[in-house]
Each structure stands twice: as structure tokens, then as C-alpha cells.
Amino acid sequence: MHIGFDAKRFFHNPTGLGNYSRSTIFGLAEHFPQHSYTLYTPRLSGPFCTLPACHGLHVQEACPLGRAFPALWRSLGIPRAARGHGLDIYHGLSHELPLTSFGSRTRTVVSMHDLLFLTHPHLYPWVDRQLYAFKYRQSCLRADIVVAISQKTADDVHELFAVPRERIRVAYQSCSPAFGVTRDQNEAHRLRTIHGLPERYVLFVGSLIPRKGAQTLISALAQVPGADRPDLVIVGKGPLEPALREQARDCGLAGRVHFLGQVADADLPGLYQQAALFAYPSVGEGFGIPILEALSSRVPVITSTGSCFAEPGGDAALYTTPGDASALAEALARVLRDSDLRHDMIAKGVRHAQNFHISRTSAALMQVYADLCTKR
């Protein structure tokens, strides 16, 4: 098969949808090298521009006009650029498909990550909600198959966009295998030195926006008894950071909450592995990839009830109601005090994470492509 991808996020997003794009494409190229893969991008630039050549991937950059108007090229120009490539599958990796047709040969797939702008509308500006609803609904209705990255997202696509169940497939995402590789003491010392890590800490990784729940975590940490209270290390950036710093000061935790900003991908596994536990009190997600990163890193996880969290967390995580700082404080104290519980959570986490090994997620997605091609 010849499979094409919308690769804008692959090249230009360092986190989130960019990580999903890179993980998906590299997993397919590694485990199914007999197929051809083409990446369509308005501009071949950025820190990831040399990676396709290392994996035997072909890149199709936009024409000069397309580079000048990248959004228009993604909507109208990609099918024209792809007509001579004989694509069997075109996969829009981030909610969208072009508005024009690829022709009868090419089957189309679109990945839907979440519909939080509809399930949690108060978290999004009105204009964004209208734009997302129009673009994402149209892409789902035009696609031959909608790939949902969790069962929760699949349910939302069916219920909110009226897409028939038979046109929706759940294909989970994976995280980098690097999270399962144990870092040695030299690496641990290097990370502690360059990031100023405390001896014992709870880790949070995510954008600093209200939905992710970092404010709840700071409130919870302030309620943990002083003898048990670890520091908090926050990895990520976002508009909420000034308010979180002020909140930490008001709670008497100014010296106990460490804001690292955006750290290098190579440092993340070591930051997870040195944490006493990982807390992710988000209100809602499409999948919650940091949960899987933490489980793969052999770290106990506390996350939220509802949304999709039981899918990446399974029976390995503890769950508290989002926004309930007191319940989160009790869970933090319990895991920090009880070594038997910690060991049980770690063992269960390693087992559960194997369900999302990149060999399995790649095989599930390739089966979606194969099924589409057999129906031509």
C-alpha cells in the first residue's frame, strides 16, 4: 500500500498532536516497512525536518503558492499534489481532511482526538467552538473511516456528529519506547543538576491551562501533612503559569513548586523515573498520553475519574474526582506512605502499558488501512 499523511503537525508541533503524528508514522514505518509512506507538509522546516530520511519516508512539500498560503494548500492543494502518487490511503492525523477529493482510488481516514470543545464548551471561546465543530464534523462525515484515539472519543463522535458506529474504529496511540528504558545514575545526576530537581517530588506534565488541573494539584499538595509533603515539579508552559505561581505563594509552597517549562524530549523519561508519583488531575482528555508515559516509566499514577482516563490508566492508577483537592490530597498521601501500594501500582502499570506497545498500536492502525483497501 501507499499511504499519505497530513504532516503539518509532524514537522511543526513539538508536543501533543506532533508527538502523535511522529509516533504513528514511525511505528508504521518500523513495523510495516513493506509499504510506502508520503508526508504532505506546507513547509519542510523545523527541528524534525531531517527525521523522515532516517526512516525511509518520502516528503511532499507544497508549491511556492502553497507555502505562502499553507491553510489553503492543506484544504485544497494536497489532493492535487497527491494525484500522481497513486495513494491507497490518505490519513488526516489531526481532525481534518482536505475539502477536495483524492479520486476513486484513495480511501480517506481521519484521526479524532477529542471533542472537548463540545463536551466542555465553557473551556473554549465561542468562535473556536464554531470553527472546530464545522471543520471536524465535515471531516468525519467525508472520511471513509474515523479513527478515534479512545473509546470515549469514539462515543462522542457517534453521539455528537451522528457518525455511524460502523465507520468509527478505535486505534489507540502509543508513547515513545524511550519511557520504558531505565536511566542510569549518571543520567539521574545530570537531570537533577540542570533542572534543579528536589530530592522527592510529585510530577505533573501538561499544558498550563485550566482544563489540565494543575491548580487543583497545588491546592491538594498544600493539604498533604507537612511530614509527608513532597515538592511538585511542573513540566509544561501555558497562560495559567503566573496564576499558578501566585497560588503556590499564597499556599506557602513558593519554594516547593518548581516550574521547568518545556523540557527536551530526551529528558522527559528521566524526569518521570525519578518522581515519587505522577499526578494528572485533568478535567477531560482525548486519551491522556502522559498517563501512559508515567506507567511505562514505572511510576505510580493518580488521575481523574470520568472522560477517557480509565483507558490509559486501567487498574494501575488511582482515580479522584476532578477539581476535588481534598480527595486528591488523600490519594497523594496514601501513595506516598504505603510502599506496598506503590509497588502494586507500578507492577500493574507496567503490565497495562504493554497493551499500548507501539507494535500493537501500529498493527491496529494498519488493519484499518487493510480493511479499507479490501472493500475497494
Side-chain angles (χ1 to χ4, degrees):
M1 283 185 288
H2 188 181
I3 304 161
F5 301 94
D6 177 0
K8 174 194 171 185
R9 309 280 186 177
F10 178 104
F11 290 108
H12 300 291
N13 284 48
T15 61
L17 294 175
N19 284 335
Y20 170 78
S21 298
R22 289 183 291 275
S23 176
T24 297
I25 293 170
F26 291 155
L28 291 168
E30 176 185 356
H31 295 284
F32 299 93
Q34 67 272 33
H35 301 299
S36 300
Y37 305 95
T38 296
L39 281 57
Y40 294 89
T41 181
R43 297 186 187 91
L44 181 58
S45 59
F48 308 106
C49 66
T50 61
L51 294 180
C54 301
H55 293 79
L57 305 169
H58 178 256
V59 178
Q60 177 65 55
E61 191 176 11
C63 61
L65 183 61
R67 290 195 291 274
F69 301 96
L72 193 63
W73 185 78
R74 289 178 71 221
S75 295
L76 303 175
I78 289 179
R80 177 184 293 273
R83 278 175 193 151
H85 296 161
L87 290 186
D88 297 291
I89 300 288
Y90 176 82
H91 189 163
L93 293 168
S94 53
H95 301 108
E96 296 181 54
L97 289 175
L99 297 175
T100 52
S101 173
F102 286 88
S104 60
R105 173 189 174 90
T106 304
R107 294 291 180 262
T108 55
V109 178
V110 65
S111 284
M112 296 302 297
H113 297 265
D114 66 73
L115 296 183
L116 292 170
F117 62 94
L118 294 177
T119 60
H120 297 73
H122 59 287
L123 298 174
Y124 294 82
W126 182 87
V127 172
D128 288 351
R129 296 200 309 269
Q130 305 312 307
L131 179 62
Y132 296 158
F134 174 77
K135 292 199 301 183
Y136 297 2
R137 179 181 284 109
Q138 290 303 310
S139 293
C140 286
L141 294 177
R142 291 198 313 274
D144 291 300
I145 285 291
V146 176
V147 164
I149 66 167
S150 67
Q151 185 59 54
K152 177 63 171 68
T153 297
D155 294 340
D156 288 344
V157 168
H158 171 66
E159 293 165 9
L160 298 174
F161 286 169
V163 177
R165 291 278 186 188
E166 61 269 20
R167 289 184 44 238
I168 305 171
R169 296 277 290 273
V170 175
Y172 289 115
Q173 63 184 119
S174 186
C175 66
S176 169
F179 290 96
V181 178
T182 302
R183 269 38 185 184
D184 61 22
Q185 290 301 312
N186 290 334
E187 173 68 357
H189 177 73
R190 183 187 74 84
L191 291 175
R192 286 191 178 276
T193 300
I194 65 173
H195 292 296
L197 297 178
E199 186 64 29
R200 185 168 176 254
Y201 62 88
V202 172
L203 179 66
F204 171 89
V205 177
S207 300
L208 302 186
I209 56 178
R211 172 169 62 86
K212 299 290 185 176
Q215 64 274 39
T216 302
L217 182 52
I218 292 175
S219 295
L221 193 68
Q223 296 179 39
V224 174
D228 296 322
R229 184 185 300 145
D231 284 20
L232 172 61
V233 170
I234 294 178
V235 174
K237 298 190 298 185
L240 202 60
E241 182 173 339
L244 293 173
R245 289 182 179 273
E246 183 178 355
Q247 179 188 3
R249 288 192 297 269
D250 292 344
C251 292
L253 299 175
R256 307 290 298 275
V257 180
H258 308 263
F259 293 85
L260 303 192
Q262 203 69 51
V263 306
D265 286 348
D267 288 355
L268 262 182
L271 293 176
Y272 275 107
Q273 290 174 21
Q274 294 186 69
L277 63 87
F278 177 72
Y280 198 63
S282 175
V283 172
E285 300 289 332
F287 178 75
I289 195 68
I291 296 171
L292 182 57
E293 293 172 348
L295 296 182
S296 300
S297 301
R298 305 181 68 87
V299 180
V301 171
I302 300 174
T303 187
S304 300
T305 56
S307 190
C308 63
F309 299 113
E311 295 181 66
D315 65 349
L318 293 184
Y319 301 90
T320 62
T321 303
D324 190 337
S326 296
L328 180 55
E330 291 178 9
L332 291 170
R334 181 184 171 200
V335 175
L336 291 167
R337 289 173 185 162
D338 191 336
S339 60
D340 289 338
L341 174 61
R342 285 176 48 80
H343 292 149
D344 183 58
M345 291 174 71
I346 289 170
K348 288 179 177 178
V350 171
R351 287 196 297 271
H352 185 66
Q354 287 304 304
N355 294 319
F356 306 95
H357 190 276
I358 196 161
S359 61
R360 293 190 178 189
T361 59
S362 298
L365 188 53
M366 185 56 68
Q367 190 60 56
V368 172
Y369 299 157
D371 290 347
L372 272 177
C373 286
T374 59
K375 294 176 183 178
R376 250 196 322 230

